[in-house]
Amino acid sequence: QGRGEEVRHEQHKCQQRDQQQQVGTAVGAHHVTEQAAAVQPTAARQAAQLAVAQQIVELKARTLAAEGEVTRLKAADAALREQLHRVAKDKQRLEAENHKLKAENKRLDRSL
């Protein structure tokens, strides 16, 4: 009889230990789940921050390209304005020369 009770007592202790391990495993799993849930928003936030940073880099690159294009267009504009100024001066000179030649033509016609 003493041996049977001893066996039952050992079985009871084993059952208690098993229950404690199951509770411990459940608590551990819950803790891991909580940690994963806490990390997940951080990872999502970091991914969103990375996406925003990439957009900023892309916009800066586009801005630099646009500024380069503006500089190129300003230089082209200045060159065209200079060319227009030269053409206008040439036109003025040629018109004055034409006027002189017409006057000379009239004088020569009258002398004939």
Side-chain angles (χ1 to χ4, degrees):
Q1 210 182 20
R3 181 76 181 131
E5 198 169 306
E6 192 177 315
V7 169
R8 277 194 301 270
H9 181 69
E10 280 299 316
Q11 285 176 336
H12 181 66
K13 278 173 44 179
C14 285
Q15 284 176 341
Q16 278 185 324
R17 191 170 47 241
D18 286 348
Q19 285 176 343
Q20 286 174 345
Q21 284 177 343
Q22 287 173 350
V23 167
T25 301
V27 167
H30 179 70
H31 183 66
V32 167
T33 303
E34 281 182 334
Q35 283 181 328
V39 168
Q40 205 168 10
T42 301
R45 186 170 49 252
Q46 286 175 339
Q49 288 171 341
L50 180 60
V52 168
Q54 286 173 331
Q55 287 177 336
I56 289 170
V57 168
E58 289 172 16
L59 287 173
K60 284 183 178 181
R62 287 171 49 194
T63 299
L64 284 173
E67 287 171 352
E69 182 67 6
V70 166
T71 301
R72 187 190 69 73
L73 289 171
K74 282 182 178 179
D77 181 60
L80 288 170
R81 286 178 188 273
E82 180 62 33
Q83 188 177 6
L84 181 64
H85 180 69
R86 282 194 310 270
V87 167
K89 280 175 63 176
D90 286 347
K91 179 184 175 198
Q92 206 173 21
R93 182 184 54 77
L94 290 171
E95 284 175 344
E97 189 177 333
N98 193 30
H99 182 71
K100 285 180 189 175
L101 289 172
K102 282 182 179 179
E104 180 69 16
N105 230 0
K106 279 185 185 178
R107 188 185 66 73
L108 288 173
D109 280 343
R110 279 194 302 259
S111 69
L112 289 177

